[in-house]
mmCIF file of all heavy atoms in Angstrom:
data_model
loop_
_atom_site.group_PDB
_atom_site.id
_atom_site.type_symbol
_atom_site.label_atom_id
_atom_site.label_comp_id
_atom_site.label_asym_id
_atom_site.label_seq_id
_atom_site.Cartn_x
_atom_site.Cartn_y
_atom_site.Cartn_z
ATOM 1 N N HIS A 140 98.956 65.147 73.191
ATOM 2 C CA HIS A 140 98.610 66.442 72.592
ATOM 3 C C HIS A 140 97.748 67.276 73.518
ATOM 4 O O HIS A 140 97.250 66.759 74.533
ATOM 5 C CB HIS A 140 97.861 66.206 71.263
ATOM 6 C CG HIS A 140 96.584 65.374 71.339
ATOM 7 N ND1 HIS A 140 96.528 64.055 71.201
ATOM 8 C CD2 HIS A 140 95.303 65.732 71.623
ATOM 9 C CE1 HIS A 140 95.271 63.605 71.374
ATOM 10 N NE2 HIS A 140 94.498 64.606 71.658
ATOM 11 N N ASN A 142 94.495 69.954 73.160
ATOM 12 C CA ASN A 142 93.474 70.427 72.037
ATOM 13 C C ASN A 142 92.912 71.676 72.608
ATOM 14 O O ASN A 142 92.433 71.834 73.726
ATOM 15 C CB ASN A 142 92.423 69.356 72.042
ATOM 16 C CG ASN A 142 91.358 69.644 70.882
ATOM 17 O OD1 ASN A 142 90.895 70.701 70.822
ATOM 18 N ND2 ASN A 142 91.120 68.597 70.120
ATOM 19 N N HIS A 194 90.768 69.754 75.529
ATOM 20 C CA HIS A 194 91.276 68.622 76.449
ATOM 21 C C HIS A 194 92.742 68.450 76.361
ATOM 22 O O HIS A 194 93.368 69.013 75.546
ATOM 23 C CB HIS A 194 90.467 67.349 76.042
ATOM 24 C CG HIS A 194 90.740 66.766 74.701
ATOM 25 N ND1 HIS A 194 90.078 67.155 73.611
ATOM 26 C CD2 HIS A 194 91.714 65.948 74.270
ATOM 27 C CE1 HIS A 194 90.561 66.506 72.591
ATOM 28 N NE2 HIS A 194 91.559 65.689 72.922
ATOM 29 N N ALA A 196 95.529 65.367 76.252
ATOM 30 C CA ALA A 196 95.664 63.977 75.919
ATOM 31 C C ALA A 196 97.051 63.324 76.461
ATOM 32 O O ALA A 196 98.024 63.960 76.236
ATOM 33 C CB ALA A 196 95.555 63.597 74.437
ATOM 34 N N HIS A 226 90.255 57.380 66.653
ATOM 35 C CA HIS A 226 90.086 58.625 65.918
ATOM 36 C C HIS A 226 90.357 58.474 64.422
ATOM 37 O O HIS A 226 91.019 57.549 64.002
ATOM 38 C CB HIS A 226 91.068 59.634 66.421
ATOM 39 C CG HIS A 226 90.624 60.370 67.719
ATOM 40 N ND1 HIS A 226 89.402 60.850 67.982
ATOM 41 C CD2 HIS A 226 91.285 60.527 68.851
ATOM 42 C CE1 HIS A 226 89.307 61.345 69.177
ATOM 43 N NE2 HIS A 226 90.563 61.209 69.724
ATOM 44 N N TYR A 235 88.016 59.235 76.756
ATOM 45 C CA TYR A 235 87.891 60.540 77.337
ATOM 46 C C TYR A 235 87.287 60.479 78.783
ATOM 47 O O TYR A 235 86.383 59.679 78.896
ATOM 48 C CB TYR A 235 87.105 61.559 76.462
ATOM 49 C CG TYR A 235 87.788 62.022 75.175
ATOM 50 C CD1 TYR A 235 88.202 61.117 74.258
ATOM 51 C CD2 TYR A 235 87.915 63.378 74.950
ATOM 52 C CE1 TYR A 235 88.838 61.593 73.086
ATOM 53 C CE2 TYR A 235 88.539 63.816 73.760
ATOM 54 C CZ TYR A 235 88.962 62.977 72.899
ATOM 55 O OH TYR A 235 89.534 63.395 71.736
ATOM 56 N N GLU A 245 92.336 62.686 78.291
ATOM 57 C CA GLU A 245 92.218 61.580 77.415
ATOM 58 C C GLU A 245 93.397 60.661 77.628
ATOM 59 O O GLU A 245 94.508 61.127 77.722
ATOM 60 C CB GLU A 245 92.270 62.160 75.967
ATOM 61 C CG GLU A 245 92.322 61.023 74.837
ATOM 62 C CD GLU A 245 92.422 61.729 73.451
ATOM 63 O OE1 GLU A 245 92.486 63.013 73.371
ATOM 64 O OE2 GLU A 245 92.490 60.978 72.502
HETATM 65 FE FE1 LIG B 401 92.455 64.231 71.720
#
Side-chain angles (χ1 to χ4, degrees):
H140 59 269
N142 187 313
H194 66 270
H226 282 310
Y235 286 59
E245 174 186 359

